[in-house]
Structures are given as C-alpha cells and as structure tokens.
C-alpha cells in the first residue's frame, strides 16, 4: 500500500474522531484485522509515520510523548510481535498513537 494512501487514511480517521489513532486503529482503517495483522502489515504504517512530516508516533502517559525520528521500527515491531496472544499484540499496538500535525493549508 502506498504511503500517501496510509497517511490519508490516518488523517481522515483523526479528523473524524478528533483523537489520536493507535497502530491498531490505523490497521482497522486500512481494512486489516488487527488481531491477525503481521509484521509486514504493521511495518508500512510505522514507515509512513516516520517518513511523513505531518505524522508523529508517541505514547501517552500523562500527555502525548513523541518518539523521536527516525523511529526504531525494528524495535517497535519486535516489541509488538513478541506478544504471543493476539489480544496482547493488539494491546501493544494500542499503546502507540499517531498524531496528525496540522499542515497549515
């Protein structure tokens, strides 16, 4: 899937919900079942976020905490896919959120 397609789907979901989009949510928006998603399906989302200036990845504790670019994509994938059960993998994906930075247009 093209990065532009992924980025636009994330932007639309963000605008619709007015909330950050988790990795699991991004998969769902793209028509991919997050419970059976593979590394090959998650990686393009992380690469898109890493390479799109108006998207950023972070975690939320008391506030949004951005993960600096370049994203540690291999480490993030290892963390997510080290979970053996589908529900734990989805939980790990739901711990990371994509924020959309206004482009100013």
């Amino acid at each position: 899937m093209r990065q532009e397609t992924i980025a636009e789907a994330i932007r639309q979901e963000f605008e619709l919900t007015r909330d950050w989009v988790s990795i699991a949510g991004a998969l769902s928006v793209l028509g991919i079942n997050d419970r059976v998603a593979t590394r090959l399906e998650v990686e393009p989302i992380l690469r898109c976020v890493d390479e799109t200036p108006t998207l950023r990845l972070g975690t939320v504790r008391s506030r949004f905490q951005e993960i600096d670019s370049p994203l540690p994509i291999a480490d993030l994938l290892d963390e997510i896919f080290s979970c053996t059960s589908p529900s734990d993998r989805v939980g790990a994906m739901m711990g990371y959120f994509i924020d959309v930075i206004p482009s100013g247009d």
Side-chain angles (χ1 to χ4, degrees):
M1 187 172 296
R2 294 182 34 227
Q3 280 192 0
E4 295 83 14
T5 304
I6 295 169
E8 185 57 28
I10 291 169
R11 275 192 214 79
Q12 288 177 357
E13 182 68 8
F14 180 84
E15 289 174 12
L16 179 68
T17 63
R18 291 289 179 208
D19 201 359
W20 298 310
V21 181
S22 70
I23 294 172
L27 285 166
S28 294
V29 167
L30 295 169
I32 301 168
N33 182 330
D34 55 10
R35 293 184 55 81
V36 297
T38 66
R39 288 176 75 100
L40 292 174
E41 292 168 315
V42 175
E43 184 175 1
I45 293 169
L46 293 173
R47 288 208 183 282
C48 175
V49 172
D50 195 35
E51 296 172 8
T52 304
T54 58
L55 299 178
R56 62 185 183 152
L57 185 71
T59 59
V60 176
R61 302 294 186 257
S62 60
R63 61 179 177 77
F64 186 87
Q65 296 175 301
E66 183 175 356
I67 299 171
D68 292 330
S69 285
L71 291 178
I73 293 172
D75 293 340
L76 291 166
L77 290 169
D78 287 346
E79 178 186 335
I80 291 167
F81 288 95
S82 69
C83 302
T84 55
S85 85
S87 59
D88 289 342
R89 274 192 305 278
V90 171
M93 287 187 271
M94 291 179 73
Y96 292 99
F97 295 91
I98 303 165
D99 186 26
V100 177
I101 302 165
S103 62
D105 49 352

